[in-house]
Amino acid sequence: MKTVIMTEGMHCNGCETRMVNALTQIEDIKGAKADAKSGKVVIKHTHESTVDEAKRLIVDIGFEVKA
């Protein structure tokens, strides 16, 4: 499945890379794409519970998750 998570705090390609590298360390995430301009992060995963784990990680690495 594919889930879109809206975030705040990414400003550049470096932020996008940091986001993708962190998210792909989660075992269930098979792919991730981040766009600093829109704040959109797309993850490909197989379990719904992975979304909450991804959101916690995004906050842990210094970005915000929009409600």
Side-chain angles (χ1 to χ4, degrees):
M1 63 184 66
K2 189 185 288 189
T3 301
V4 175
I5 302 170
M6 297 306 295
T7 67
E8 288 185 359
M10 287 190 291
H11 302 289
C12 64
N13 289 342
C15 293
E16 292 172 348
T17 300
R18 186 168 148 220
M19 180 78 74
V20 169
N21 287 344
L23 288 169
T24 54
Q25 295 302 307
I26 296 174
E27 186 176 332
D28 186 47
I29 294 181
K30 306 305 178 196
K33 185 175 181 180
D35 181 55
K37 191 174 200 176
S38 67
K40 187 186 300 185
V41 176
V42 180
I43 59 170
K44 292 181 184 176
H45 56 98
T46 53
H47 301 303
E48 191 61 39
S49 61
T50 303
V51 176
D52 290 332
E53 187 177 353
K55 288 179 178 180
R56 283 191 300 274
L57 178 65
I58 290 168
V59 171
D60 287 348
I61 63 171
F63 301 104
E64 293 182 37
V65 174
K66 289 184 176 180

